[in-house]
Amino acid sequence: MKQFLLSAAGLLAFATASAQNVTLNVRLKPIQTIVVNTSQKVVNLEYVTKDDYQNGVTSENPDHLNIYSTGGFQVKVKASNAAMQNGGKSIATNTILIKASAGSDVLNGAQYSQDVQLSGSESTLVTSTSGGVNKKINIAYKGAGANAYINNYIAGQDPTLYTTELTYTIVSQ
């Protein structure tokens, strides 16, 4: 029996070890989403008093945008056209300013633009070098003062309405 054990041990000593390698990749694709608060899909700038026409009006929209990004990003906005039309009258979209600020779930290190003029081309509102999950952005819309719209009311319309669609986009950086 001793000889058998010694023979088995000798066979094991001559066996070679075998190994295989596997390459494991973690592949990260960029993901950016932007969602407008559903209760704020329509924003109204209402001019009701003399002071409104003189000073302009502002619509504050807390947590207006919800951001998800797998890395640094920019949030941009643009109007569907350079002027809002009603009959033969128009209001230039660049008379409306947008102010971005940190919402209830802050993205640390983000840069928020102040008083960005709307236009038919994209303007950057927020820049961040890091990503985030469900980060909130407040947006304030400010219509012109100094009686800029005093001649844009059309008799028989109550109210006279000028409309444009805004498009918010998020892109990786």
Side-chain angles (χ1 to χ4, degrees):
M1 175 106 155
K2 280 185 179 180
Q3 190 175 15
F4 174 73
L5 287 175
L6 287 174
S7 295
L11 287 174
L12 287 175
F14 292 111
T16 59
S18 178
Q20 295 290 310
N21 294 327
V22 171
T23 300
L24 171 65
N25 297 316
V26 176
R27 298 174 47 141
L28 303 175
K29 301 278 185 153
I31 297 174
Q32 283 80 35
T33 63
I34 187 168
V35 178
V36 175
N37 186 325
T38 54
S39 67
Q40 300 169 347
K41 289 274 190 173
V42 175
V43 176
N44 292 310
L45 295 175
E46 293 203 43
Y47 288 76
V48 179
T49 67
K50 256 178 29 174
D51 286 344
D52 292 344
Y53 283 93
Q54 180 58 44
N55 302 321
V57 296
T58 300
S59 174
E60 301 281 348
N61 294 271
D63 294 345
H64 194 51
L65 304 175
N66 185 336
I67 302 298
Y68 179 99
S69 182
T70 55
F73 65 91
Q74 291 182 341
V75 173
K76 300 178 180 224
V77 65
K78 81 175 205 171
S80 60
N81 31 24
M84 298 174 279
Q85 304 289 325
N86 187 330
K89 297 187 180 216
S90 67
I91 292 177
T93 55
N94 68 5
T95 63
I96 298 171
L97 302 177
I98 296 181
K99 175 184 174 184
S101 62
S104 64
D105 193 350
V106 176
L107 179 61
N108 293 326
Q111 301 296 315
Y112 300 93
S113 298
Q114 308 291 307
D115 296 334
V116 171
Q117 288 182 310
L118 271 181
S119 75
S121 58
E122 287 186 324
S123 298
T124 302
L125 288 175
V126 181
T127 302
S128 177
T129 56
S130 60
V133 176
N134 295 324
K135 299 303 180 184
K136 308 291 193 267
I137 299 171
N138 301 331
I139 300 290
Y141 299 89
K142 182 169 179 30
N147 296 307
Y149 306 148
I150 199 75
N151 289 313
N152 287 90
Y153 172 76
I154 299 173
Q157 296 180 3
D158 189 15
T160 300
L161 183 63
Y162 293 85
T163 301
T164 189
E165 292 288 321
L166 303 184
T167 301
Y168 285 95
T169 57
I170 183 170
V171 293
S172 61
Q173 73 169 17

